[in-house]
């Protein structure tokens, strides 16, 4: 596997200073923070992939948010505004809202797996959302450079009726590009 995983990209974008901050929140060392971040990001990405496949309003919202990320120009830059927590997500658009909405179920799932209290995981997620948005934007930009239209959606960002992504490219491929390997 020469391509870095989504979790690796988030950890790289997070940097040592923010990882140290997360370790302090968790009461652990950098390795423990890395494991918790990887678990949290993996759970978040898996939930988004699952929702994106659903033929309901939540699925449509996730697909539209992915299309919005793909069409963003210029992409979000770095994690300089991490200190804002959920309140600092105004520039993240629809995807920031999707991630914020998913934060409670993700926190509960990670808490069950790790034994770390859900409110602590929720605070970690608040710190991770801007980083995840930056990685989404970078991956979407890389997808655009790799070949043609990355969004596969109408300019308004809507997916195909019924929530199905077009076969052979388009939004489904972009979702895979942004979130990484779609099979778990």
């Amino acid at each position: 596997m020469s391509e870095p995983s989504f979790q690796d990209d988030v950890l790289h974008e997070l940097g040592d200073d923010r990882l140290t901050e997360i370790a302090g929140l968790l009461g652990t060392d950098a390795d423990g923070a890395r494991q918790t971040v990887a678990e949290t990001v993996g759970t978040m990405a898996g939930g988004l992939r699952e929702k994106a496949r659903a033929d309901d309003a939540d699925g449509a919202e996730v697909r539209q948010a992915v299309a919005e990320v793909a069409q963003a120009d210029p992409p979000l830059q770095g994690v300089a505004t991490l200190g804002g927590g959920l309140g600092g997500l105004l520039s993240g658009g629809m995807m920031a809202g999707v991630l914020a909405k998913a934060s409670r179920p993700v926190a509960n799932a990670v808490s069950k797996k790790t034994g770390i209290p859900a409110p602590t995981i929720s605070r970690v997620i608040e710190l991770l959302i801007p980083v995840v948005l930056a990685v989404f934007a970078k991956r979407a930009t890389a997808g655009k450079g790799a070949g043609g239209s990355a969004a596969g959606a109408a300019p308004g960002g809507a997916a195909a009726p019924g929530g199905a992504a077009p076969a052979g490219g388009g939004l489904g491929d972009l979702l895979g590009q942004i979130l990484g390997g779609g099979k778990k």
Side-chain angles (χ1 to χ4, degrees), residues 11 33 36-38 43 45 52 65 71 82-83 116-117 120 136-137 158 173 176:
L11 284 165
T36 302
V37 166
T43 301
Q71 295 171 1
L82 275 177
I116 300 168
T120 303
F136 281 168
D173 284 350

Side-chain angles (χ1 to χ4, degrees), residues 93-181:
M94 186 174 210
M95 183 56 81
V98 167
L99 294 173
K101 190 188 297 187
S103 66
R104 179 171 285 179
V106 169
N108 290 335
V110 172
S111 177
K112 276 187 171 184
K113 288 181 181 178
T114 64
I116 300 168
T120 303
I121 297 296
S122 291
R123 180 64 184 125
V124 170
I125 291 170
E126 287 179 14
L127 293 172
L128 288 176
I129 287 176
V131 179
V132 169
L133 289 169
V135 172
F136 281 168
K138 286 180 180 183
R139 284 179 164 232
T141 300
K144 283 181 185 178
S149 172
L171 195 55
D173 284 350
L174 178 62
L175 188 62
Q177 172 71 20
I178 290 175
L179 294 175

Side-chain angles (χ1 to χ4, degrees), residues 72-91:
D73 194 25
L76 299 171
Q77 297 295 315
V79 293
T81 61
L82 275 177
L86 289 177
L89 295 177
L90 296 176
S91 65

Side-chain angles (χ1 to χ4, degrees), residues 8-89:
D8 290 342
D9 284 353
V10 170
L11 284 165
H12 175 73
E13 185 75 19
L14 191 61
D16 292 336
D17 289 344
R18 292 296 177 184
L19 195 60
T20 300
E21 183 178 345
I22 289 171
L25 280 172
L26 297 171
T28 188
D29 59 9
D31 287 338
R34 262 187 215 90
Q35 289 176 309
T36 302
V37 166
E39 181 68 39
T40 302
V41 169
T43 301
M44 187 179 292
L48 288 174
R49 278 191 295 270
E50 187 176 308
K51 280 188 178 194
R53 291 182 189 123
D55 190 17
D56 60 11
D58 286 342
E61 181 180 32
V62 171
R63 290 186 300 275
Q64 186 172 353
V66 169
E68 181 182 275
V69 167
Q71 295 171 1
D73 194 25
L76 299 171
Q77 297 295 315
V79 293
T81 61
L82 275 177
L86 289 177
L89 295 177

